[in-house]
Amino acid sequence: MFDRKPTSFESCLEAASENPETEVVHGWIFKDGTWQTHGWCEFADRVIDLTESSHSMPKFDYYVKFKVSPERTRRYTRLNFFERMAAEGHVGPFDKEFFFADTSDEDPLTVIAAKA
């Protein structure tokens, strides 16, 4: 499908296409010592992040591992994700003010608050 490894946002397309119960999440995660924009899918208490595993994992474990918090995320129903993708011509992230860069050495919430 790709000549390169799909991004996390591109991987959301596959996961959301295969499971009608998913919610697509775009968020800031803390990985490899930096804050990074990232996309994954959730259903019930499970996370599907095809950049991490081909299997779903417990939401609690994923949130702890990557310091995920609700205020660092934007959530989309499966239908809304597909509508936004069609309207904007890409798979995300959609909120460009919230996702102001691909990575941040500072907590993104601190950076956003300083801009306000």
Side-chain angles (χ1 to χ4, degrees):
M1 180 171 167
F2 294 100
D3 290 337
R4 58 174 174 69
K5 185 178 176 182
T7 69
S8 63
F9 299 102
E10 291 165 339
S11 294
C12 287
L13 178 59
E14 180 179 347
S17 295
E18 293 179 2
N19 185 341
E21 302 301 317
T22 58
E23 181 176 47
V24 177
V25 183
H26 294 168
W28 285 98
I29 65 169
F30 194 75
K31 184 177 179 180
D32 300 328
T34 187
W35 290 98
Q36 302 175 16
T37 59
H38 200 75
W40 64 93
C41 291
E42 296 181 2
F43 67 99
D45 64 345
R46 308 291 294 176
V47 166
I48 303 169
D49 182 345
L50 297 174
T51 66
E52 291 294 315
S53 174
S54 59
H55 302 287
S56 69
M57 59 198 86
K59 183 176 174 179
F60 178 82
D61 295 346
Y62 187 86
Y63 275 41
V64 169
K65 179 178 180 179
F66 295 115
K67 298 184 180 181
V68 175
S69 64
E71 60 273 5
R72 290 186 182 92
T73 63
R74 296 292 185 260
R75 299 179 165 277
Y76 307 94
T77 65
R78 181 176 179 258
L79 178 59
N80 185 246
F81 171 72
F82 291 133
E83 290 171 343
R84 301 275 311 253
M85 186 183 75
E88 297 189 28
H90 62 87
V91 292
F94 302 125
D95 185 341
K96 295 299 185 184
E97 287 185 33
F98 187 72
F99 299 107
F100 54 85
D102 292 336
T103 64
S104 177
D105 291 331
E106 286 185 72
D107 183 329
L109 297 179
T110 303
V111 174
I112 291 166
K115 291 180 180 182

